[in-house]
Amino acid sequence: VLTSAESDRLRVVLVSSRNPLNIGAAARAMANFGFHHLRVVHPYDVAFREARSAVDAESVLQAAEEFDQVTEAVADCALVVGTTAGTRRTRQQQLHRLEAAATIIQQHLQSGSKVALLFGSEKIGLSNQDLSHCQLLLRIPTQTEHPSMNLGQAVAIVLYELVRQPGEGAAAPPVPQIPLENQPEKPLATAEERERLTILLLEVLALSGYARHPSPEEKVRGLMRHLPLTQSDVHHWLGLLRHILWKLKAVPPPLSD
Amino acid sequence: VLTSAESDRLRVVLVSSRNPLNIGAAARAMANFGFHHLRVVHPYDVAFREARSAVDAESVLQAAEEFDQVTEAVADCALVVGTTAGTRRTRQQQLHRLEAAATIIQQHLQSGSKVALLFGSEKIGLSNQDLSHCQLLLRIPTQTEHPSMNLGQAVAIVLYELVRQPGEGAAAPPVPQIPLENQPEKPLATAEERERLTILLLEVLALSGYARHPSPEEKVRGLMRHLPLTQSDVHHWLGLLRHILWKLKAVPPPLSD
């Protein structure tokens, strides 16, 4: 069970939501389950704060933060989780059922990390680019023939799973000790720190003429995403890459042949 | 886990719903989780079958049965369960948290009984008279200060709890040895493969003039050691580093100053 300090580390991030009613419904579910931090990335209707379905959730809506980019909306989070109906195949990240993903999210919140939980638009969900920011994907166990959920309902179910008490359920399974990383004493890097590393690496690669790959950015993000980098790791890797970058900048431009 | 025959014994009963959108949302959640039998008791708006929020749930809505009285709507059910925010005190029935109530409901469905699950109106919930038909009450574990849920969200959460797999939750996660390892099906790199990567990185660093550190090799090994690299990761990183190395080799030697 999450303490209020732990719940307070969760960021619910709605990306490109079309319907203010759904944003209101998400805010209401957050109020119901004790989560406070809503972030909205370029909503179609900027009047979302007036959503009428936000009964009892005015404070969550009023405090909601708006962002232009997913990158900024997840910058301070150490774990970024995307929700998906699971119909689009992606082999980049682990896809967990909600039941299992919730355990991982809880452990991160309990260990002091901020966690971003991304929900895509009602129509198309999260784009591949949105997904490229996620280290983990979760899917609500819907029927294969009816995979797509209403946004407000999806948010409510995920938040419920985070607060439900396993002990009161049927199986009363004990919470396992899942090692989260190899250096539990060192804090994991935030999305912003990872991003700094990714951008520097992309710069190095650009200078190296790495252009064969159709989308180097997606590829590099894919490689970086699942590495459990600590803040100290990022610091050291940045130092190494800066050296390489500095040297590469001394390379003369290629002859125009 | 419920079989489809067992799911088919559940009746979702909406009593005095005001908003057709909420009836549509309830129907949609039913389609999402494999439940088919919706019953509606004197809805305020009888045009509920046209609810636009019923994406993907037309068949549930079209097959919905209408009743004038709760008595009739629950007549064929062996267990009648009422949902409540738990604010109204009732000493008539047992009040269980959803986690525990779901187990009882599942057991009835599995034993061949039909179960009715009653949800009240958005405004006032189930009346005392409605509650008098129930043998069991359940409450979704919302915050004490924000107990009242949106109807569509409440239905979705209860149905989710009925289909969730305890085994996939905390207890028996598809546990990767290193949990944020995102590609459990892909084999981790062998020491030899890691070594190849380390050596190439050291070569790149040497060409970059990275000599400040007293023992670059030790430092690089330290950074690499705890990253759960897969064989495929190593392959890709080697490709990136070879690019950088190739470019660095084009750097003219430093002037002898």
Side-chain angles (χ1 to χ4, degrees):
Chain A
V1 185
L2 298 176
T3 65
S4 63
E6 289 159 359
S7 297
D8 212 46
R9 295 192 190 109
L10 189 78
R11 305 293 179 259
V12 174
V13 183
L14 306 183
V15 184
S16 307
S17 292
R18 288 158 171 267
N19 187 341
L21 292 180
N22 284 338
I23 302 181
R28 181 170 179 181
M30 292 175 64
N32 286 141
F33 294 119
F35 298 97
H36 308 292
H37 302 287
L38 176 62
R39 291 176 173 182
V40 176
V41 181
H42 50 78
Y44 282 34
D45 186 335
V46 291
F48 68 86
R49 280 176 221 276
E50 275 75 55
R52 274 180 309 139
S53 61
V55 178
D56 215 23
E58 292 80 5
S59 67
V60 171
L61 269 190
Q62 294 309 318
E65 299 170 278
E66 264 184 274
F67 296 88
D68 287 329
Q69 304 287 338
V70 170
T71 323
E72 301 156 14
V74 302
D76 57 347
C77 297
L79 177 67
V80 182
V81 183
T83 53
T84 166
T87 43
R88 180 139 18 113
R89 276 296 74 184
T90 166
R91 297 207 174 77
Q92 314 291 326
Q93 297 109 329
Q94 269 184 311
L95 174 62
H96 286 295
R97 274 175 67 120
L98 171 57
E99 299 93 325
T103 306
I104 299 172
I105 294 170
Q106 286 162 339
Q107 288 168 339
H108 275 77
L109 294 173
Q110 285 159 354
S111 76
S113 296
K114 286 182 185 161
V115 177
L117 194 50
L118 268 65
F119 295 86
S121 80
E122 296 83 343
K123 196 101 178 176
I124 56 163
L126 293 168
S127 69
N128 282 335
Q129 222 210 316
D130 299 335
L131 290 174
S132 76
H133 293 279
C134 302
Q135 288 130 291
L136 188 75
L137 299 183
L138 74 77
R139 105 181 163 76
I140 297 173
T142 48
Q143 298 280 299
T144 321
E145 323 85 79
H146 299 282
S148 166
M149 291 205 70
N150 165 273
L151 178 59
Q153 290 175 317
V155 172
I157 286 175
V158 175
L159 298 182
Y160 164 72
E161 177 67 40
L162 288 176
V163 305
R164 81 184 284 284
Q165 292 177 0
E168 298 220 9
V175 177
Q177 294 306 315
I178 301 183
L180 269 184
E181 57 187 282
N182 292 341
Q183 302 167 306
E185 76 285 0
K186 297 192 183 172
L188 283 179
T190 65
E192 185 180 17
E193 289 161 333
R194 280 176 173 273
E195 184 67 15
R196 219 178 297 150
L197 189 55
T198 303
I199 285 171
L200 188 57
L201 180 55
L202 284 168
E203 197 179 348
V204 165
L205 288 171
L207 276 173
S208 302
Y210 179 74
R212 272 185 319 175
H213 197 274
S215 56
E217 185 169 335
E218 209 168 297
K219 164 136 186 191
V220 167
R221 282 187 201 288
L223 282 171
M224 300 276 295
R225 191 162 33 214
H226 69 278
L227 298 180
L229 294 167
T230 65
Q231 293 184 347
S232 136
D233 285 334
V234 169
H235 172 79
H236 290 300
W237 284 112
L238 282 174
L240 297 186
L241 282 175
R242 280 196 199 104
H243 248 278
I244 298 171
L245 183 66
W246 174 83
K247 191 67 176 189
L248 282 171
K249 283 185 169 165
V251 180
L255 297 176
S256 52
D257 54 354
Chain B
V1 184
L2 298 176
T3 65
S4 62
E6 289 159 2
S7 297
D8 213 47
R9 295 192 190 110
L10 189 78
R11 305 293 179 260
V12 174
V13 183
L14 306 183
V15 184
S16 306
S17 293
R18 290 159 169 264
N19 187 341
L21 292 180
N22 284 338
I23 302 182
R28 181 169 180 181
M30 291 175 65
N32 286 140
F33 294 119
F35 298 97
H36 308 292
H37 302 289
L38 176 62
R39 292 176 173 180
V40 177
V41 181
H42 51 78
Y44 282 34
D45 186 337
V46 291
F48 69 86
R49 281 177 221 274
E50 274 75 53
R52 275 180 308 138
S53 61
V55 177
D56 217 24
E58 293 80 4
S59 68
V60 171
L61 269 190
Q62 294 309 318
E65 301 170 277
E66 267 186 271
F67 296 87
D68 288 330
Q69 303 287 336
V70 171
T71 327
E72 302 156 16
V74 303
D76 58 347
C77 296
L79 176 68
V80 181
V81 182
T83 53
T84 166
T87 44
R88 181 143 13 118
R89 278 295 73 182
T90 163
R91 296 207 176 76
Q92 316 290 324
Q93 300 105 328
Q94 278 183 303
L95 174 62
H96 287 291
R97 272 176 69 117
L98 171 57
E99 299 93 326
T103 307
I104 301 172
I105 295 170
Q106 285 162 338
Q107 287 165 345
H108 276 77
L109 294 173
Q110 284 158 353
S111 74
S113 298
K114 286 182 186 164
V115 176
L117 195 51
L118 268 64
F119 294 86
S121 79
E122 296 83 343
K123 197 101 179 178
I124 55 163
L126 293 167
S127 69
N128 282 337
Q129 218 208 320
D130 300 333
L131 289 174
S132 73
H133 294 279
C134 302
Q135 292 131 288
L136 187 73
L137 298 183
L138 76 77
R139 103 181 165 77
I140 296 173
T142 47
Q143 298 278 301
T144 321
E145 322 86 80
H146 298 282
S148 165
M149 291 206 70
N150 164 275
L151 178 58
Q153 290 174 318
V155 171
I157 287 174
V158 175
L159 299 183
Y160 164 73
E161 177 67 38
L162 288 176
V163 304
R164 82 184 283 285
Q165 293 176 1
E168 296 221 11
V175 182
Q177 285 312 306
I178 304 157
L180 270 181
E181 163 54 54
N182 287 331
Q183 299 160 310
E185 76 284 3
K186 295 192 184 173
L188 284 177
T190 63
E192 186 183 13
E193 289 159 333
R194 280 178 172 272
E195 184 64 18
R196 218 179 300 151
L197 188 55
T198 304
I199 286 171
L200 187 57
L201 180 56
L202 285 168
E203 196 179 348
V204 165
L205 288 171
L207 274 174
S208 303
Y210 181 76
R212 272 186 318 177
H213 198 275
S215 55
E217 189 171 331
E218 200 171 303
K219 165 139 183 187
V220 168
R221 283 188 200 287
L223 283 171
M224 301 278 293
R225 195 163 29 217
H226 71 279
L227 297 180
L229 295 167
T230 65
Q231 294 184 347
S232 137
D233 285 335
V234 169
H235 172 80
H236 290 300
W237 283 113
L238 282 174
L240 298 185
L241 283 175
R242 281 198 199 103
H243 250 278
I244 298 171
L245 184 66
W246 173 84
K247 191 70 176 187
L248 283 170
K249 283 184 170 165
V251 181
L255 296 175
S256 52
D257 55 354

